[in-house]
């Protein structure tokens, strides 16, 4: 898979969030920003939105914006991986 493949990026985001959870630390959003992951902002929002809607992460506000068909993303202070996201990581470590 390419480094910008959906599942590669999703795995990197969730692995980072899981490491933060286990360490008892707040995530540094700069580490998982679109430019830090070398992807476009629209693609990043798509990935984050679907991770949230699929129940893999929590602590996100979807903001409906005039002139956009897809909601914008706001990461809240309680942004973290869910047990379902942890299960995804453990089941897809390859």
């Amino acid at each position: 898979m390419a480094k910008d493949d959906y599942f590669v990026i999703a795995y990197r985001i969730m692995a980072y969030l899981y490491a933060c959870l286990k360490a008892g630390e707040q995530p540094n959003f700069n580490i998982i920003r679109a430019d830090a992951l070398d992807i476009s902002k629209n693609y990043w929002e798509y990935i984050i939105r679907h991770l949230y809607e699929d129940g893999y992460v929590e602590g996100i506000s979807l903001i409906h914006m005039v002139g956009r068909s897809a909601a914008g993303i706001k990461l809240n202070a309680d942004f973290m991986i869910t047990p379902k996201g942890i299960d995804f990581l453990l089941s897809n470590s390859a």
Side-chain angles (χ1 to χ4, degrees), residues 18-76:
Y18 188 36
C20 290
L21 177 66
K22 291 193 296 185
E25 300 173 352
Q26 289 290 104
N28 177 347
F29 297 142
N30 290 327
I31 292 174
I32 55 175
R33 286 187 340 220
D35 58 343
L37 296 168
D38 200 26
I39 58 174
S40 73
K41 184 176 181 196
N42 287 340
Y43 186 38
W44 179 87
E45 287 183 353
Y46 173 87
I47 293 169
I48 296 294
R49 184 173 32 263
H50 283 280
L51 290 176
Y52 173 71
E53 290 174 350
D54 293 343
Y56 295 132
V57 297
E58 62 189 17
I60 292 174
S61 297
L62 298 178
I63 303 166
H64 297 286
M65 304 168 85
V66 176
R68 285 186 59 172
S69 59
I73 304 290
K74 178 183 177 206
L75 302 181
N76 301 320

